[in-house]
Amino acid sequence: MPAVSTAAVLPAAAPESAADSAAGVPPRPRPVKQASKVPAAENTLRILKLLASKRGPMAASNIAAALGLPRSSVYHLLGVMEANGFVLHLHEEQRYGLGISAFELSSGYSRQEPLSRLGRPLLASLVDVIGESAHLAVLHGRDVLYIVEERAKNRPSLVTDVGVRLPSHLTASGRAILAALPKSQVRALYPNTAAFTARHETESPIMKYSVLSSHLDQVRQRGYATEHGEVTPGFGSIAAAVTDHAGWPTAAVAVTFLEDKLPADQWPALAARVQKAADELSLRIHGRPGSNQPA
């Protein structure tokens, strides 16, 4: 009986790390995705996720091609989703878009405040480790809106209470989010100098688009954003973006501290902890940690 090659039945080996290779550890097999026991349910969700990722409705044939599914199966699934309001069939265009039930799901998502619920314990752990106050913010127009604040013990109160809005170009949180947006989106948010404001008599160094754009390039290159006393004199902040499955910035994790208590050479180490917390929250919302949207 001829020998059977194991290459056809075993998953490809994962690349060895330098440490594993040096220690003589054999390559680890790659994890194999298990076949779904409910393929119809999985394919329904795949269709919804695909439609949600597009800027406009799609033809059923394009949905089938994008997902590698038989057209007949796609039409059947779309029919069920249309009957339940999750997709809308645009007859004149012969395309399918998201329906009102999908919108209701997103509204329910907002009402349940998952970002706050998932982010609060991560921020609490971060504060316990670093001994500085931390907060979570989302973009709201040209402002950032603070949705979680975790105050460190024996640290002064901050202006970043839950519900407070601040100009995003002045804050580390806002800069982290803006840096993860396409440049065209940032330009649309800041069309002229009237879009820039300062909080104090001393004007912020970022008061026009060209300066903001250059600063955001530095944030992308460095991987985290900073702020030096532009919100509250004497306080500095470090922030990193939380990104969704498409690499789009959903929020930002930030820490704030008295600048004279933290030497500049310690900022990168603190930034690494902030980035780790942001990456963990990205994973919890099924996002792509540490990703910046290309320009």
Side-chain angles (χ1 to χ4, degrees), residues 3-28:
V4 178
S5 171
T6 58
V9 295
L10 293 178
E16 300 175 20
S17 67
D20 286 349
S21 180
V25 177
R28 298 177 296 279

Side-chain angles (χ1 to χ4, degrees), residues 86 99-117:
F86 285 94
I100 190 66
S101 293
F103 172 76
E104 289 171 348
L105 279 180
S106 67
S107 299
Y109 179 90
S110 298
R111 286 193 301 272
Q112 292 179 17
E113 300 180 328
L115 269 178
S116 298
R117 293 174 183 270

